[in-house]
Each structure stands twice: as structure tokens, then as C-alpha cells.
DNA sequence: CCAGACGTTGTT
DNA sequence: GTCTGG
DNA sequence: CCAGACGTTGTT
DNA sequence: GTCTGG
């Protein structure tokens, strides 16, 4: 879920909302894809100030031999984030927020895929719970990257691998599709991408 | 011991 | 179908 | 997440 | 770096 999101506010607005300083040169973005630079909010627990600064979306653990693992680490499951090798160190001591004002889910009908946008009713900002890490590429360049941790099964314990829809749930209660039913589709993926140019 | 992975989604 | 890059 | 590639030889 | 599978 949440493989793309939106942060379409100007940096002063974001900084004021989250009471951060403003180190990142952020321009409004409507269709943020994995591996792209995003803005994250961090705070040293022993200090009062928060920082809004850039990171690549898709966490690259410090031990990675190349950056490609970042394409698979855009999200961490809340149920396992504390123990997975790629995330657990960050989970202990490198948490952050990923500010956003929306995210996208796609509904598939046969071959067609239609994006839907989700956000606050008043279009206000919110933030994903995040992790970050620091990686040194083979040339020695430091790359900071981040991931979000989200619960895929918020109300179920233990987390099942897959739960078939039950008739009593109306077929697909809790699925992204149920959330999208009756809503107005968003712009297509291509149109969304064009918004960033 | 070494070699290779290290992750999530959604689905039957 | 599956992997890679954005 | 989606979109686009997915391969080699040999050379103007 | 650390764990898992062979």
C-alpha cells in the first residue's frame, strides 16, 4: 500500500505546520515515486529543535553493497520492523516523519488501473511514521534514505499472511478497494507525473 | 564452514 | 512473466 | 507504486 | 553487519 504519495505544499508551510527549521529546498510534488528525494523530519531526542531535510525514499541500510535494495524498502511492516535486518537498527535509534498531504492507491478492473487519492478531509498535512539510515556509496558519497512503517493488518494479531474476504465483511471489508468504492478517481498516473514537471 | 540474502504488495 | 529504474 | 525493458555483434 | 540455508 501507499507506493506513491503527495507533498504539494511549499516548504514554509510544511516547516510552520511541523515547527521545523527548513534545510530542504522543497518544491511542491504531486506524485512522489520510490527512489526519489523526499523531505523528512528528524529530531535529536536531547534537543528541542526539529529539522526538515532531504532523503531518498527507499531505505538503504548501512551494510548495503549497492543502492538497489532501496527499491524494495520503501515501506516496512509495523509487525516486523523491529526485527528485520534492514530496519531494526534504524527502528531503535533513527526514526523520522515523512510529511505528506496525500497518497495514492490504484484500483484495477481487468487491464485498466485507476489511481485514487487519499488525504485529510480538509486537505491538511499529516505524516507517515518513518525510519532513516545513512549509506556510503562505493565512491564514498553519503546517501541518507528513509522508509515508512505501516501496519498492513492493524486489527489482527497475529498478522496473517493472507486473509480471504468473508461474506460477512461485505466481500472485501478493509481492502483498499472497499475504501475506493464510490470515490472519485484521481488523475491518471501519467497525468500525475506531468504535474511534477 | 561459506554463500547469499537482507523487502513489500496482493493473491488463491 | 519478471526485473529495473524513476 | 507504475512504466518500460527484457539482447548481442560489431561499427559510420 | 548479521542471519539463514545448504
Amino acid at each position: 500500500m501507499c507506493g506513491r504519495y503527495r507533498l504539494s505544499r511549499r516548504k514554509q508551510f510544511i516547516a510552520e505546520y511541523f515547527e521545523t527549521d527548513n534545510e530542504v529546498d522543497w518544491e511542491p510534488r504531486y506524485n512522489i515515486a520510490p527512489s526519489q528525494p523526499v523531505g523528512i523530519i528528524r529530531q535529536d531526542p536531547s534537543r528541542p529543535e526539529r529539522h526538515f531535510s532531504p532523503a531518498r525514499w527507499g531505505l538503504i541500510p548501512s551494510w548495503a553493497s549497492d543502492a538497489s535494495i532501496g527499491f524494495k524498502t520503501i515501506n516496512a511492516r509495523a509487525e516486523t520492523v523491529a526485527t528485520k535486518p534492514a530496519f531494526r537498527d534504524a527502528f531503535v535509534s533513527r526514526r523520522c516523519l515523512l510529511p505528506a498531504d496525500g497518497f495514492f492507491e490504484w484500483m484495477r478492473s481487468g487491464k485498466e488501473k485507476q489511481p485514487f487519492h487519499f488525504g485529510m478531509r480538509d486537505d491538511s498535512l499529516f505524516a507517515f511514521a518513518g525510519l532513516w539510515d545513512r549509506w556510503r556509496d562505493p565512491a564514498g558519497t553519503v546517501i541518507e534514505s528513509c522508509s515508512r512503517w505501516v501496519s498492513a493488518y492493524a486489527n489482527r494479531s497475529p498478522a496473517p499472511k493472507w486473509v480471504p474476504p468473508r461474506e460477512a465483511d461485505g466481500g472485501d471489508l478493509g481492502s483498499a478497494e472497499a475504501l475506493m468504492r464510490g470515490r472519485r478517481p484521481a488523475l491518471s498516473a501519467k497525468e500525475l507525473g506531468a504535474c511534477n514537471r
Side-chain angles (χ1 to χ4, degrees), chain A residues 9-24 41 50 52 99 125:
Chain A
R9 299 289 193 170
R10 298 190 188 287
K11 58 185 176 181
Q12 301 97 300
F13 189 95
I14 299 164
E16 278 172 30
Y17 190 93
F18 290 100
E19 298 182 309
T20 68
D21 61 19
N22 199 353
E23 298 172 21
V24 65
I41 296 171
R50 283 191 279 277
F52 180 42
L125 287 166

Side-chain angles (χ1 to χ4, degrees), chain A residues 10 37 43 45-46 69 87 120 123 148 152:
Chain A
R10 298 190 188 287
Q43 179 169 19
S46 67
I69 190 171
F87 298 126
M120 297 292 136
D123 215 32
R148 305 172 304 179

